[in-house]
Amino acid sequence: MKIFVSGGAGYIGAITSAELIAAGHQVVVFDNFYQGHAAAVPPEATLIQGDLADINAVRAAFAAHPDIDGIMHFASYTLVGESMEQPLRYLRDNVVSAGNLLEVAVAAGVRRFILSSTANLFDEPEQMPIEADNKIVPGSPYGESKFFIERMLHWFERIYGLKYACLRYFNASGDTPERGEDHDPETHLIPLILQVALGQRPHITVFGNDYPTPDGTCIRDYIHVVDLAQAHILAMEALDRIGARRYNLGNGNGFSVLQVIEAARKVTGHPIPHVIGPRRPGDPAVLIASSAAIRAELGWQPRYPAIETIVASAWEWHRTHPHGYAD
Ligand code: UDP
């Protein structure tokens, strides 16, 4: 298939593009380089620099590639904390960009769409692990923007017959030897811990140790980015059969912040000092995914579920790219 990958120069988009190419698909990357890096885009992919906010740029991309079979939509503002400070970046810009892409896609006759969605839809988990049909209560304007795009897809399926899958990522993490996580500013736990191991930070700050968890720190479900990428490919290849689906994606195992730091100490051999800081607003105590639906329906199986494996893969990339793609 020929897949249009919005945000294909970003962390998850670039690694998924590489996996798509390895699986024999063609890839057209569309990215504005807000967080993406040209060096992350696989050389076999066609790269178009453009912004989804500019519908004419999107139209031009689809006019140049009239044979697109499906879309993977990664391009987005993605930070919960930022969305609490700049809500319109999310409630307006994320939604407008997705709307532009959908308008052009439908006009171009594209009928397959995979959305990067989020665990931030589940601010009130009814049970743990969280099932895909858990009640949706977005935890922030970021989560709300993804919920709204999920609803757009619902109506585009009803009105235009668009086949779609929404993949709600829990904590995407890990790297490949060629591509890794390089955000500016970096806010995610594992790359920040590894910056301590690289001597770039004196310590890691743990955001709160008074949560109702065994060691008092937040528990998250870390999922290797290559396992996420494989889920996208499985879903895209199955869309004609499955139609309209929403899946939660995680390993079904939770690790506390202190457990992740401990895994990084083992992997890197560095003492990685930590200090306890205040809670980060908006962080729930525990988020663990049930991926039962995608396992049962698509046969998805994570290849790299162990936290040490995830951290080791990230360490390999950060050790060899201490300044990210600038190296
Ligand atoms: N975290 C932390 N210190 C940091 C960054 C993150 O203690 O410097 C915690 C954060 O509170 C959360 C977990 O690590 O419980 C994962 O955070 P991250 O930002 O990586 O992902 P999120 O869960 O927000 O998607």
Side-chain angles (χ1 to χ4, degrees), residues 7-235:
Y11 167 48
I12 305 173
I15 288 175
T16 304
S17 294
E19 294 289 317
L20 276 166
I21 288 163
H25 298 292
Q26 287 173 272
V27 171
V28 177
V29 166
F30 186 90
D31 201 295
N32 64 1
F33 298 126
Y34 171 66
Q35 286 284 348
H37 306 271
V41 177
E44 301 87 345
T46 302
L47 171 59
I48 300 173
Q49 182 171 359
D51 198 317
L52 293 177
D54 174 4
I55 195 164
N56 288 325
V58 186
R59 286 197 182 108
F62 278 78
H65 297 276
D67 51 349
I68 298 286
D69 296 299
I71 294 169
M72 293 188 182
H73 178 43
F74 296 93
S76 174
Y77 295 109
T78 60
L79 299 175
V80 169
E82 180 185 69
S83 81
M84 299 295 285
E85 286 158 14
Q86 300 188 58
L88 284 174
R89 268 201 160 181
Y90 292 78
L91 298 171
R92 179 186 56 205
D93 301 350
N94 273 357
V95 172
V96 167
S97 291
N100 286 347
L101 182 55
L102 280 167
E103 178 178 337
V104 174
V106 163
V110 179
R111 290 290 183 275
R112 301 183 190 90
F113 197 101
I114 309 279
L115 174 68
S116 298
S117 190
T118 174
N120 195 248
L121 300 183
F122 305 118
D123 209 39
E124 289 179 15
E126 291 161 323
Q127 78 281 318
M128 204 59 70
I130 301 170
E131 301 289 345
D133 62 359
N134 194 98
K135 179 176 61 168
I136 293 184
V137 181
S140 68
Y142 167 59
E144 191 80 59
S145 74
K146 293 291 182 173
F147 179 46
F148 195 70
I149 300 167
E150 290 200 0
R151 296 304 299 164
M152 282 195 208
L153 293 173
H154 166 81
W155 290 108
F156 270 60
E157 196 252 345
R158 297 256 313 254
I159 296 167
Y160 300 112
L162 183 79
K163 309 277 188 193
Y164 72 89
C166 303
L167 303 184
R168 285 91 166 251
Y169 312 159
F170 281 58
N171 285 66
S173 45
D175 296 316
T176 68
E178 300 81 19
R179 292 178 181 81
E181 193 168 2
D182 180 4
H183 294 118
D184 185 20
E186 188 53 76
T187 63
H188 293 108
L189 180 65
I190 292 176
L192 288 175
I193 291 173
L194 296 178
Q195 288 178 5
V196 181
L198 286 168
Q200 297 172 350
R201 291 176 180 267
H203 57 254
I204 180 80
T205 302
V206 175
F207 294 152
N209 68 347
D210 57 352
Y211 285 94
T213 60
D215 67 19
T217 67
C218 286
I219 292 178
R220 293 287 179 275
D221 186 339
Y222 296 87
I223 172 170
H224 198 287
V225 61
V226 168
D227 288 328
L228 269 186
Q230 289 301 327
H232 286 77
I233 296 171
L234 278 175

Side-chain angles (χ1 to χ4, degrees), residues 132 163-167 239 242-247 293-294 297:
K163 309 277 188 193
Y164 72 89
C166 303
L167 303 184
L239 267 191
I242 60 178
R245 300 294 291 136
R246 286 165 285 277
Y247 297 120
I294 192 166
E297 294 173 22

Side-chain angles (χ1 to χ4, degrees), residues 260-276:
V260 176
I261 296 171
E262 202 46 49
R265 288 181 179 132
K266 277 201 203 117
V267 164
T268 63
H270 188 283
I272 310 184
H274 73 272
V275 300
I276 305 296

